[in-house]
Amino acid sequence: MTLELANLLFGATAAVYFVASVLFVADLLGRAGTLARWAPRLVAIGVPLHAAHIAVWSVVLHVCPVEGIHFALSVAAMLACLSYAIARIRYRVDVVGAFVAPQALAFLLASRFVGPVDDEPRLRSALLPFHVISNLIGIALFTLAFAAAVAYLLQERRLKHKQFAGFEHLPPVDALDRAEHRFLVAGFPLLTIGILTGTIWSREIEAGGTAAIARAALSYASWALIGGVLLLRAAAGWRGRRAAFGTILGFGLTLLVLMIYLVRSLFVAPGGPA
C-alpha cells in the first residue's frame, strides 16, 4: 500500500510540474491567456505533493531523505519550488517559475529513474546530513537567482531591441536584478557552510579519487565565482548583465557538481567505496 501511495504521489507531482512548465512556456509565447495565472499556483500545489512523495518514498526504501544523490536531487527540486512559491509573493517575479518548474520536473524524474537507488553510496557521518541540507537549501536559492538572471537578460534584450510585443508580463529589469541579488545573498552563506563541512568531513579527497577531486574543484570554483559576484557588486557596483552572467556561470558549475555525483552513482558497485 505504501509503495502504491509513493507511486501515486510521484505521478501527481510530475504531472503538476509538467502542466506548470507547459503553461509557463505558453505564457512566454503569449498563448496561455487567462490560464497563465495557474502556472505559479501549480508549482505551489506541487510542493506539498512533492514533500509527501519524499516522505513516503523514504519509508519504502528505509533511508533518510538527505542520504545519497537521488534523494538530494528530489529534495533540492522541492525546496526550489517552495522558495519560489514564497518569493513570488514578495518580489512579484512569477516568470522565474518558467525556469524553476522544468528543472524541478527534471530533478524529480532523475531522482526516480536515473541510477540504482538501492546501491548508491550513503552518508556515513551523523554530521554530514547537516552538510547536505545546507547545500540543498543553497542550491534551491541559487536556482531562483539563476532563473531571475536569465529573465533579466531576456527582458534587457527585449528593451534594447525595442521589442514591445510579447513578454509584457516580465517584471522590470531592476526588480529582477534585485531579486537575483537577494537570492544570492541568502544562498551564499549556506553554500559556504556546505563547502566547509564537506571539506572537514570528506574522506574521498584524501583518497585522491578523480571524481572527488573534480567535485571539490567545481564546488570551490562555484563558491568563489558567486562570492566574487557579490563582492564586485558591493565594491565596484557590479549590476545588470555582468552580475547575471556571473550568476548563470556559478549556477552552471553547481549543476556540474550534481551531475558528477549522479554519474558516479551509476557506476558505483554495491558495497563499494562512497
Side-chain angles (χ1 to χ4, degrees):
M1 180 64 181
T2 305
L3 178 60
E4 288 78 2
L5 178 59
N7 290 332
L8 177 62
L9 289 169
F10 174 82
T13 305
V16 167
Y17 286 158
F18 175 76
V19 175
S21 299
V22 171
L23 289 179
F24 273 122
V25 172
D27 188 32
L28 288 175
L29 296 175
R31 299 181 179 180
T34 57
L35 291 176
R37 67 177 183 271
W38 280 99
R41 296 176 184 176
L42 285 173
V43 174
I45 291 172
V47 171
L49 291 173
H50 198 161
H53 167 258
I54 291 172
V56 175
W57 192 236
S58 65
V59 171
V60 171
L61 295 181
H62 304 290
V63 296
C64 174
V66 295
E67 287 189 350
I69 185 60
H70 290 80
F71 269 120
L73 285 174
S74 189
V75 173
M78 186 271 293
L79 289 175
C81 291
L82 175 61
S83 300
Y84 165 74
I86 296 172
R88 65 174 289 264
I89 298 174
R90 179 176 178 82
Y91 299 117
R92 303 296 180 184
V93 285
D94 288 8
V95 68
V96 168
F99 308 95
V100 173
Q103 181 179 305
L105 178 61
F107 277 19
L108 175 67
L109 295 176
S111 72
R112 189 70 179 272
F113 297 120
V114 179
V117 178
D118 294 334
D119 295 337
E120 70 174 287
R122 304 295 182 193
L123 300 175
R124 295 182 173 86
S125 169
L127 296 173
L128 282 177
F130 176 71
H131 155 76
V132 175
I133 291 171
S134 297
N135 278 327
L136 290 179
I137 300 175
I139 289 172
L141 291 169
F142 284 171
T143 298
L144 297 182
F146 161 79
V150 173
Y152 175 93
L153 293 176
L154 287 174
Q155 180 73 318
E156 186 200 44
R157 183 179 184 278
R158 184 183 74 86
L159 295 174
K160 182 178 179 181
H161 294 280
K162 299 182 180 179
Q163 297 174 351
F164 300 111
F167 297 98
E168 295 89 349
H169 51 286
L170 287 178
V173 289
D174 288 344
L176 291 168
D177 184 61
R178 286 194 303 270
E180 172 200 333
H181 176 64
R182 289 169 181 171
F183 292 142
L184 288 183
V185 169
F188 186 70
L190 294 169
L191 180 62
T192 302
I193 293 172
I195 292 283
L196 290 176
T197 54
T199 300
I200 292 172
W201 288 293
S202 175
R203 299 180 183 274
E204 295 176 326
I205 303 302
E206 296 175 4
T210 302
I213 294 173
R215 290 200 310 271
L218 289 171
S219 296
Y220 295 137
S222 175
W223 177 83
L225 184 58
I226 296 299
V229 169
L230 291 174
L231 178 62
L232 288 171
R233 184 183 183 104
W238 257 39
R239 298 176 186 276
R241 288 175 60 84
R242 289 178 294 184
F245 280 122
T247 299
I248 291 170
L249 181 56
F251 181 74
L253 293 177
T254 302
L255 281 185
L256 282 178
V257 174
L258 288 176
M259 292 304 102
I260 291 175
Y261 270 112
L262 189 60
V263 170
R264 185 197 62 162
S265 73
L266 297 176
F267 300 99
V268 172

